[in-house]
Amino acid sequence: MTGPATAAATATATANAAADAAESGERAWRAARGLADIQYAPLPPRAPTPPPDWLVALMKWLSKLFEPLGRLLGKGWGTIEILLLVAAAGGALWILASFLLPLWRQRGRAPPPPGDWTPDAGEAAILLADADALAAQGRFDEAAHLLLRRSVQQIAQAQPTLLAPSDTARDIAAMAALPANARAAFATMAGAVERALYALRPLAREDWSAAREAYAAFARVGLQAGAA
């Protein structure tokens, strides 16, 4: 049976054990502090390495060079800030005008009637001659592509506001502002070029002849040269 005397003895033993542990820890700490190979004191700060003489001379020269500009900016910063704001506003107005001015110039202008335009006969004849030269070498794909590309350039030169950079040949073939024979020519040439470029089907002589005849009919030039 546990009595008050037993409880007191247990408490005393626990306290003695705790005191012994604390004393042992302090002895270990003092022993560690006494080791000469462990640094406990803070190291003195390392003095910064002075810059080389050439750098010091350069910084002094730059300071003298820009000192007048710094004084000027400090005195007249309000004026400079206003000038910068005016320049920014002018730039914004210039950018806006560059977009709106072409639209303003074209305001009220109706596109030319569909039947009033065909490529220049001389340019069309030269184009057909260049394409025929390619076809004579059996390069029917390149010949048809040349007709299509040059035709787009001819329309862009004649009607600068009609085409957009994103327009495809099929888009052009559907434009109501072009004559019906122009739309038919583009549809024929676009179909041939698409088969060659995207379907990887080389054009035959018959495909080239169809594209050539479509362009020649649209340009109103004779077919005396014939398909190569």
Side-chain angles (χ1 to χ4, degrees):
M1 184 174 181
T2 303
T6 304
T10 302
T12 302
T14 302
N16 292 337
D20 293 341
E23 184 178 358
S24 177
E26 184 178 358
R27 286 198 301 269
W29 179 82
R30 291 183 180 279
R33 288 282 294 180
L35 295 177
D37 55 349
I38 298 179
Q39 175 69 39
Y40 288 98
L43 293 175
R46 179 179 297 179
T49 303
D53 294 339
W54 65 266
L55 181 58
V56 174
L58 177 62
M59 296 302 295
K60 289 182 179 179
W61 181 78
L62 290 176
S63 176
K64 292 180 180 179
L65 178 64
F66 291 105
E67 184 178 1
L69 179 61
R71 287 199 299 266
L72 178 62
L73 291 176
K75 293 179 180 179
W77 173 247
T79 304
I80 295 175
E81 187 176 13
I82 293 175
L83 292 177
L84 291 176
L85 291 175
V86 171
L93 289 176
W94 181 82
I95 294 174
L96 184 62
S98 65
F99 283 102
L100 295 181
L101 187 58
L103 299 177
W104 177 263
R105 288 176 176 173
Q106 295 299 327
R107 187 174 62 93
R109 291 186 184 180
D116 285 354
W117 178 81
T118 57
D120 178 78
E123 293 182 3
I126 293 174
L127 173 56
L128 283 176
D130 293 341
D132 285 338
L134 292 173
Q137 303 174 30
R139 298 157 65 181
F140 303 121
D141 297 359
E142 297 178 46
H145 197 189
L146 178 64
L147 283 184
L148 182 64
R149 189 174 67 250
R150 293 270 190 89
S151 300
V152 174
Q153 294 173 356
Q154 290 171 344
I155 292 179
Q157 291 172 359
Q159 302 185 28
T161 61
L162 181 61
L163 303 183
S166 59
D167 287 335
T168 65
R170 290 192 175 273
D171 294 331
I172 298 173
M175 289 181 176
L178 291 179
N181 55 351
R183 296 197 299 271
F186 267 93
T188 301
M189 290 185 292
V193 172
E194 286 177 353
R195 286 196 300 275
L197 292 181
Y198 306 120
L200 301 180
R201 290 173 51 194
L203 298 184
R205 187 181 302 274
E206 293 76 14
D207 299 321
W208 155 244
S209 297
R212 186 188 190 282
E213 291 174 4
Y215 176 80
F218 158 55
R220 299 177 186 174
V221 295
L223 298 175
Q224 63 272 16

